[in-house]
Amino acid sequence: MSTIFDILSRKIVEWRKEESAIIEKGGTKVLSQVTVAQAYGGMRGVASIICDTSRVPQEQGLIIREIPLKQLLDKTPEEIFFLLLTAELPNKDQLADFSEEIRSRKYVPKYVWDVLKSMPKDSHPMTMLNTAILVLQKESVFSKKYDDGMRKEDYWKATLEDALNLVAKIPAIAAGIYRIRFNKGDIIAPDPAMDLTGDYVHMLGLGEINKEEFNDLMRLYLVAHCDHEGGNVSALTNLTINSALSDIYYSLSGGFDGLAGPLHGLANQECLKWILEIMQKYGNAPSKEQLKEIVWNTLNSGKVIPGYGHAVLRVTDPRFEGFLEFGKSHFPEDPIFLTVSRLYDVVPEELKKVEKIKNPWPNVDAASGSMLYHYGIKEFSYYTVVFAVSRSLGLTAQAVVNRAMNGPLIRPKSVTSQYVKEFVS
Ligand code: CMX
C-alpha cells in the first residue's frame, strides 16, 4: 500500500522538473501587465502567482485539478482533499488508507477546549476558530523540524503532517465551537469509526433532523467550498504568511481572518440576515415586486446585495447551482429556500442596471446559509465556520504544494501615489 507521503514524493519529483523546464524555456516571457488602474484596483486580473490546486475561469467557475466542480458534487471531502493534493482522485485502496490517516489524527487536546470555554460569551465563532488554530500552533511539526534544521526539500513533508492534523481536527473544533458558543450542552467526542462529514454532523449534535439528508448536505457543503484558486483574500493571505515559512497554523488562521470579512466568507451570514429581514417585512412569500423594492432599498442605502457579484466570476456560480438543486429536490416548499430562489429570479436583472457592477449573478453565499438554516442551524454567525471547515482542505493543500515547489517569499513591489502621479504625467 502506498501512503499519501509516498504518492506525493513521486509526483513532486516530476512537478519540480516540469517547473524548471517552464522557467528555463519561457522565464523571460511576459505573463501579465499591470495598469495604473489595476494597481489602484486591488490587482484584479493581474496574473502573477501560481496555484495548481484549482482554477476559476470567469465563464465556468471552479475547476479542481482540471475537473469541473459539477463532476465532483457526489464526492467526499476526503476524496477532494486527496485530489487537491495529488492532482488525481484516489482509487479504493488509496482512499481507505488516506481516510485512516485523517481519522487517526482527529482528537483535539484539552487545552484548546479550555481556551475556547474561557472566551467572552459574545465572541464571534470565526474568532473562536482562529484562536483555536493559533492555540494549536505549538503542535506544528513544521516548526519543530525547522528548529531542528530540517532540509529545504523536506519542508513539504512537515507541512503535509500539519495539513493532515489540521484538516482532521478542524471539524471537531468547529462542532465544539457551535456547542460552546450557542449553549448546546457538552462537547460531543469524535467517533473513531466515522468519516469527516459523518463525524462533523455527529459532533454538532443537532436534535431531530433527517440525519441522512443532512449528512448529504454537509458532504456537498464541504466539497463545494473547498478551494477557489490562489488570488482570493483567504488564499493569498495564507500563501503570503506561509511564504515567510510561518507554519500553516499561522497561515490558515490568517487566511481565515480574511474569510471572516463580509465581502468574502462572511457574506453567507449577511445573506441569511438579509433574507430574514425581507421575510420579517413581507412575510413568507414576498412577491417579485417586493423583492425588487428591497434590492433597490439596499443598494440606495449604500450596502451591497450579499451573495451576489464576484471578483472573478461572470456567470452564476456552479456552487450556487449545486445548492439550488439540492434545495429543489429536498425541500422545495421551505419558505426561506423559496425566497432564495425568487431572489435569483429578480436580483440579476436589477443588478444589470447598475453599470459599475461587473457580475450580477449569485455566488455560493447566496444559497448556502439557507441550506444550514433548513436543518436547524439557525445561528447564522456560525455559517462562515462551516465554510472554513471546507476551505481548510484547499488552503492546506495549496501550502503543501507551495512548499513542495520551494515557493518563494511573496514580496510584490509597492509604489507611492507620488511616484504614480509623476509616472502618468
Ligand atoms: N451589491 C452592490 N454593489 C456591488 C455588488 C453587489 N452585490 N457587487 C459589486 N458591487 C459594486 C462594488 O461594491 C463596486 O462598487 P464601488 O466601485 O463603489 O466600490 C463596484 O460594484 C464594482 O465591483 P466589481 O468589480 O463588480 O466587484 P469587486 O471585484 O470589486 O467585488 C465582491 C467583488 C464579491 C466583493 C462584490 O461583488 C460584493 O461585494 N458582493 C457582495 C458580497 C459577497 O457576496 N461576497 C462573497 C463573495 C464570494 C466569497 O468570497 O465568498
Side-chain angles (χ1 to χ4, degrees):
M1 203 174 354
S2 193
T3 69
I4 185 72
F5 288 88
D6 301 326
I7 296 164
L8 274 175
S9 291
R10 284 193 294 273
K11 287 188 174 259
I12 285 165
V13 174
E14 290 310 310
W15 293 345
R16 285 179 181 166
K17 272 192 212 150
E18 271 170 31
E19 186 183 280
S20 303
I22 291 170
I23 297 171
E24 198 179 325
K25 189 170 171 215
T28 56
K29 290 202 170 158
V30 176
L31 191 60
S32 201
Q33 282 181 327
V34 190
T35 63
V36 167
Q38 284 171 314
Y40 277 105
M43 297 184 280
R44 278 318 170 283
V46 180
S48 55
I49 51 173
I50 306 294
C51 173
D52 284 328
T53 54
S54 67
R55 63 191 178 93
V56 182
Q58 61 176 20
E59 305 300 339
Q60 258 177 293
L62 179 60
I63 296 181
I64 303 173
R65 296 290 198 175
E66 293 315 310
I67 308 179
L69 178 71
K70 278 191 177 165
Q71 293 171 29
L72 294 168
L73 291 175
D74 61 342
K75 301 291 177 214
T76 63
E78 285 86 343
E79 288 173 290
I80 296 292
F81 192 31
F82 190 97
L83 173 65
L84 286 160
L85 284 165
T86 67
E88 276 171 22
L89 281 164
N91 63 31
K92 212 169 141 233
D93 288 345
Q94 287 170 332
L95 181 61
D97 185 49
F98 188 58
S99 302
E100 184 46 38
E101 268 293 352
I102 295 174
R103 264 199 301 271
S104 65
R105 296 165 186 256
K106 64 169 118 176
Y107 299 94
V108 177
K110 181 177 169 296
Y111 64 80
V112 174
W113 301 126
D114 293 342
V115 171
L116 289 178
K117 284 177 183 167
S118 67
M119 287 180 75
K121 296 285 166 246
D122 56 352
S123 298
H124 193 281
M126 280 303 285
T127 311
M128 295 175 79
L129 177 66
N130 291 339
T131 303
I133 294 171
L134 277 181
V135 169
L136 263 180
Q137 187 277 334
K138 74 186 201 64
E139 309 290 338
S140 169
V141 174
F142 183 93
S143 271
K144 282 196 194 82
K145 292 207 166 171
Y146 188 85
D147 285 347
D148 294 344
M150 168 174 55
R151 292 158 62 90
K152 196 172 181 180
E153 54 268 38
D154 291 333
Y155 286 176
W156 72 267
K157 289 182 194 154
T159 305
L160 179 57
E161 289 282 356
D162 285 350
L164 292 166
N165 285 330
L166 270 167
V167 164
K169 289 177 184 20
I170 282 178
I173 294 171
I177 288 171
Y178 182 66
R179 299 191 66 78
I180 295 167
R181 176 63 179 77
F182 301 108
N183 304 314
K184 300 287 178 184
D186 292 340
I187 290 162
I188 299 171
D191 181 327
M194 282 187 172
D195 68 3
L196 218 141
T197 307
D199 214 12
Y200 186 24
V201 169
H202 155 73
M203 291 180 287
L204 280 167
L206 302 175
E208 293 298 305
I209 51 159
N210 181 335
K211 279 260 163 65
E212 206 177 309
E213 220 177 83
F214 184 59
N215 220 71
D216 200 35
L217 170 74
M218 204 46 117
R219 182 199 55 69
L220 175 68
Y221 201 109
L222 297 183
V223 167
H225 291 81
C226 68
D227 203 36
H228 222 227
E229 68 171 46
N232 63 71
V233 167
S234 49
L236 188 60
T237 308
N238 177 58
L239 172 73
T240 306
I241 297 176
N242 193 241
S243 82
L245 300 187
S246 299
D247 61 59
I248 56 173
Y249 291 82
Y250 287 121
S251 65
L252 191 68
S253 62
F256 285 170
D257 284 334
L259 194 70
L263 296 189
H264 195 9
L266 203 80
N268 55 13
Q269 151 179 345
E270 298 298 297
C271 198
L272 205 76
K273 212 192 282 178
W274 186 62
I275 288 170
L276 292 182
E277 277 164 21
I278 295 174
M279 293 175 67
Q280 208 169 20
K281 189 163 175 199
Y282 297 115
N284 270 356
S287 68
K288 289 194 174 177
E289 281 315 309
Q290 287 169 328
L291 290 177
K292 266 187 209 172
E293 184 183 300
I294 198 88
V295 167
W296 285 103
N297 285 347
T298 306
L299 290 173
N300 291 336
S301 65
K303 292 186 199 145
V304 295
I305 306 294
Y308 282 78
H310 200 269
V312 175
L313 282 173
R314 296 295 177 258
V315 288
T316 295
D317 191 334
R319 302 172 296 175
F320 172 85
E321 288 173 326
F323 286 127
L324 205 66
E325 281 309 307
F326 190 94
K328 275 186 192 156
S329 60
H330 291 95
F331 42 85
E333 301 307 326
D334 178 297
I336 295 190
F337 176 70
L338 275 176
T339 307
V340 167
S341 323
R342 267 194 204 141
L343 279 166
Y344 183 34
D345 293 334
V346 170
V347 176
E349 290 315 308
E350 300 312 306
L351 292 189
K352 279 179 196 169
K353 296 173 189 161
V354 185
E355 208 183 329
K356 67 177 181 178
I357 299 178
K358 297 194 190 66
N359 177 38
W361 303 106
N363 60 62
V364 66
D365 298 317
S368 55
S370 67
M371 304 283 122
L372 298 175
Y373 198 89
H374 176 80
Y375 291 103
I377 304 187
K378 301 203 163 162
E379 301 81 4
F380 37 78
S381 64
Y382 185 69
Y383 295 173
T384 313
V385 173
V386 190
F387 189 149
V389 174
S390 173
R391 194 50 66 90
S392 67
L393 306 176
L395 294 190
T396 60
Q398 288 189 17
V400 172
V401 174
N402 277 318
R403 293 281 63 82
M405 304 311 287
N406 294 325
L409 180 74
I410 301 297
R411 193 9 177 135
K413 176 86 185 121
S414 67
V415 290
T416 61
S417 303
Q418 182 60 27
Y419 173 90
V420 181
K421 203 165 139 191
E422 286 163 18
F423 176 79
V424 296
S425 61

